[in-house]
Amino acid sequence: MKTEPVRTLPVLDVSLCLSAGQTFGWKKHKDDWLGADGESLYILNQMTMGDAKKLVENPAVFKLFGLSDFDRNERLLKLGPELEPMLCSLQGLRLMSLEGTVQSLFSFLCTPNNNIKRIEQMVTSLFSFGVQKTIENSHVQVFPCLERLAEVSEIHLRQLKFGYRARNIPVVAKELLARGGVRYLDQVKSATYQDVLPQLLSLQGVGPKLADCIALFSFGKSEAAPFDVHMWRAYKKLYGVAVDEPLTQKQYQKAGEHMRHRFGLDAGAAHQFIYCYEMMKDNPAAKNRSADSAT
DNA sequence: TGTTTACCTGTAAA
DNA sequence: ATTTACAGGTAAA
């Protein structure tokens, strides 16, 4: 008699997911993570899925962390056995599916030539322009709408230490409004990866890397594989590219295509494991930001 | 078309 | 104590 394989829910490491460069602006409050994605507010506790009944029962959380994809890791391992160390040591890592397209886009506008700590500060500054809401007696800001972002001045953002990125925030907000605002973004979101890319690239301050981040995390284009300096370093080691090879526009294109050829629609998830494994090597403590935030 | 260069700010090395 | 390098890149030269 054939026995059905036991379908256990994937393990979820909330801290790891929220600290993996997919989303910004979440705050650790005691054992919980507080934050917003689009119009939804979340209080997420750091437990594995097996234990956290509240998380399992919440459909929004289920979707946010892509938990319906039960056997993605098995699939990845089959497509790329070289990912075994990453998949083993990052079992709770999930590719997130973010609802807030405006939030995601403007968060990534803060990231170029920057470091995590300052990016978090800048995104928090952007959240401060948003409306405050309440969840279980806690106050959480919702990310500001395009109209609000469009009226924030570059001067003000420079005072908030945005540097040269200050210019892009109101410019891109106005440009998006001119294109139809949220309706336009929804329309872009429903297009294919190949069609989404040029539309994102036409925005000031959005280059190939940001376009891939936005496409992957917020527009659901799971074949996108963003290459930053860390991902490129990890990729070179993994696939035998010379260590001194710089990440040119050409190499960016080539590496992305290789990822898509090897992993197909799982290229984005594969990227996330490779990237995150490389980051953990540099700073294993990033996994437990709870320890840091106490200081 | 493909390669350099400047860009705000903060922090860790040199 | 100062200077330099560089960090989830991009755009312009």
Side-chain angles (χ1 to χ4, degrees), chain A residues 152-172:
Chain A
V152 179
S153 73
E154 175 182 349
I155 307 283
H156 189 185
L157 290 170
R158 280 184 180 269
Q159 288 168 349
L160 291 171
K161 314 294 185 184
F162 275 63
Y164 63 85
R165 305 162 198 82
R167 190 163 59 102
N168 298 333
I169 305 294
V171 166
V172 170

Side-chain angles (χ1 to χ4, degrees), chain A residues 58-270:
Chain A
N58 186 327
V61 172
F62 213 76
K63 180 168 183 289
L64 184 62
F65 293 100
L67 296 171
S68 57
D69 194 353
F70 293 114
D71 44 24
R72 183 205 57 199
N73 287 16
E74 277 177 46
R75 218 163 52 233
L76 283 174
L77 188 60
K78 191 159 187 175
L79 293 168
E82 69 277 14
L83 298 189
E84 188 179 356
M86 296 77 171
L87 291 163
C88 283
S89 69
L90 300 171
Q91 289 189 35
L93 179 62
R94 305 290 307 174
L95 177 62
M96 293 183 72
S97 170
L98 298 160
E99 197 63 34
T101 52
V102 170
Q103 175 177 338
S104 193
L105 203 160
F106 285 85
S107 292
F108 280 108
L109 279 178
C110 301
T111 62
N113 201 7
N114 208 348
N115 59 70
I116 305 283
K117 189 180 172 188
R118 193 153 76 107
I119 292 165
E120 289 287 354
Q121 284 175 3
M122 289 161 65
V123 172
T124 299
S125 292
L126 290 180
F127 265 107
S128 73
F129 296 115
V131 176
Q132 192 178 70
K133 290 194 176 181
T134 305
I135 176 171
E136 295 179 25
N137 299 320
S138 294
H139 298 297
V140 178
Q141 307 267 150
V142 174
F143 203 82
C145 61
L146 288 173
E147 288 79 2
R148 182 73 188 93
L149 290 164
E151 66 186 20
V152 179
S153 73
E154 175 182 349
I155 307 283
H156 189 185
L157 290 170
R158 280 184 180 269
Q159 288 168 349
L160 291 171
K161 314 294 185 184
F162 275 63
Y164 63 85
R165 305 162 198 82
R167 190 163 59 102
N168 298 333
I169 305 294
V171 166
V172 170
K174 284 169 190 160
E175 175 61 24
L176 288 173
L177 284 172
R179 293 185 192 181
V182 175
R183 284 206 324 279
Y184 166 75
L185 285 174
D186 288 341
Q187 185 186 317
V188 174
K189 187 172 182 175
S190 67
T192 64
Y193 172 59
Q194 291 303 330
D195 289 341
V196 163
L197 229 40
Q199 308 219 52
L200 291 173
L201 289 170
S202 67
L203 297 169
Q204 185 172 307
V206 178
K209 193 268 183 181
L210 293 207
D212 273 333
C213 283
I214 298 159
L216 177 61
F217 301 125
S218 184
F219 285 31
K221 307 307 163 195
S222 62
E223 66 267 57
F227 276 77
D228 61 14
V229 56
H230 302 289
M231 178 61 192
W232 180 233
R233 192 194 312 129
Y235 177 88
K236 285 189 287 189
K237 279 187 288 191
L238 200 54
Y239 295 108
V241 179
V243 285
D244 58 347
E245 188 73 37
L247 183 55
T248 61
Q249 199 169 0
K250 194 175 181 178
Q251 290 297 331
Y252 189 100
Q253 185 69 22
K254 191 177 167 187
E257 278 168 11
H258 172 243
M259 289 294 285
R260 277 181 284 286
H261 184 256
R262 186 159 188 71
F263 296 101
L265 290 174
D266 286 318

Side-chain angles (χ1 to χ4, degrees), chain A residues 26-82:
Chain A
W26 297 79
K27 302 296 174 189
K28 191 82 191 245
H29 180 71
K30 301 197 174 170
D31 288 333
D32 295 328
W33 284 102
L34 263 67
D37 172 38
E39 294 302 309
S40 308
L41 306 183
Y42 294 94
I43 298 181
L44 303 166
N45 52 23
Q46 169 63 327
M47 298 171 100
T48 60
M49 281 301 290
D51 301 325
K53 293 261 171 22
K54 273 173 76 175
L55 290 190
V56 182
E57 290 164 5
N58 186 327
V61 172
F62 213 76
K63 180 168 183 289
L64 184 62
F65 293 100
L67 296 171
S68 57
D69 194 353
F70 293 114
D71 44 24
R72 183 205 57 199
N73 287 16
E74 277 177 46
R75 218 163 52 233
L76 283 174
L77 188 60
K78 191 159 187 175
L79 293 168
E82 69 277 14

